[in-house]
Amino acid sequence: MSVSVLGSGAFGTALAISLAGNGPVTLWSRTTEQAQLMQQSRENSGRLPGVTLPDNISVTADFERAVQSDVLLLAVPMQKLRDALTLNSAQLSGKTLVACCKGIELTSGLGPVAVINQTVPDAHPALLTGPSFADDIARGLPTALTLACTDAGLGENLQQELTTANLRLYRTTDTVGAELGGALKNVMAIGCGAAIGAGLGDSARAALITRGFAEMQRFAALRGARPDTLMGLSGLGDLVLTCSSELSRNYRFGLSLGLNKSFDSATTVEGVATAQAMSKIAANEGLDMPISSTVAKLSSGDYSVTDAIQALLGRPLKEE
């Protein structure tokens, strides 16, 4: 089974490096210049400096060539996924498409598998998600992820093909739960980063993780996810990692808010759009999501950190 990774950012490159241990991999880059640079230097110096690309990774900007593989891993930001799929829907028709992004689409409220189903309806979609940093995967450190696919047979095949020496995959048919776990934890990571940046301490972070997880479970239940999925790698596992490390872009963004410092606008922070989408859906459904709503307002500039603290601590007392 041949494999291509579409997207040569840090995570896409890291996946290609790990998968190269199984056999040849094609890594597609948006620009010819970037593809040639990586092919010649054998390094993604901008995103994963110091990590050598194995010889059996072929980097190309030729989309037609890249999509000839049996399995296509889509390593593109969530908010750009629909445009990428729509633009290339004819070439992706009938393909096995594994989304490797996390988030909820701001315009539709859908996750990546649902977006694939809408834009390339005859494709065979799956989702790869869970607690992982690109640098860890690229350097061969052990990482466990969730592979979600409603087609159980296809899921088993992908699990066998995409598991590598350092990448262990657990499969599920609950794509909705896996989508939401990977998306909603980014919202909580922004909140945790803001709390630490503002000097509120680790106890406050623990409270945000715990109560944030309760919100994630409520929202997932609303969307028809299985409760056990959120207890796994794609939910609780990813939440713990993302809320506790500065390697997380969402956590670093929250940290900058808490410190009242600027943040690199070129860095993708999926949790910002997800917080907006999540809060809108929750409001329409009458679902109580105070942390998510507060993070949405904090991220958009409608709340200061002081406002956010007062909004959460001033809520009526209740049973756990």
Side-chain angles (χ1 to χ4, degrees), residues 5-30:
V5 179
L6 307 184
S8 61
F11 197 67
T13 303
L15 287 174
I17 291 170
S18 183
L19 290 165
N22 294 350
V25 176
T26 300
L27 177 60
W28 177 79
S29 181
R30 259 186 331 113

Side-chain angles (χ1 to χ4, degrees), residues 11 100-103 127-133 143-146 177-189 209 213 216 229-245 248 250-251:
F11 197 67
C100 302
C101 51
K102 301 172 183 178
L127 175 69
L128 191 62
T129 185
S132 55
F133 290 138
T143 303
L145 296 176
T146 296
E179 284 179 329
L180 292 177
L184 305 186
K185 57 89 185 180
N186 284 333
V187 178
M188 308 313 162
I209 290 174
F213 187 54
M216 290 170 59
T229 305
L230 272 291
M231 294 299 297
L233 289 165
S234 61
L236 181 60
D238 213 354
L239 177 69
V240 171
L241 179 69
T242 312
C243 291
S244 59
S245 174
S248 163
N250 291 276
Y251 180 83

Side-chain angles (χ1 to χ4, degrees), residues 186-209:
N186 284 333
V187 178
M188 308 313 162
I190 294 174
C192 287
I196 295 299
L200 302 185
D202 288 327
S203 297
R205 170 163 50 186
L208 285 171
I209 290 174

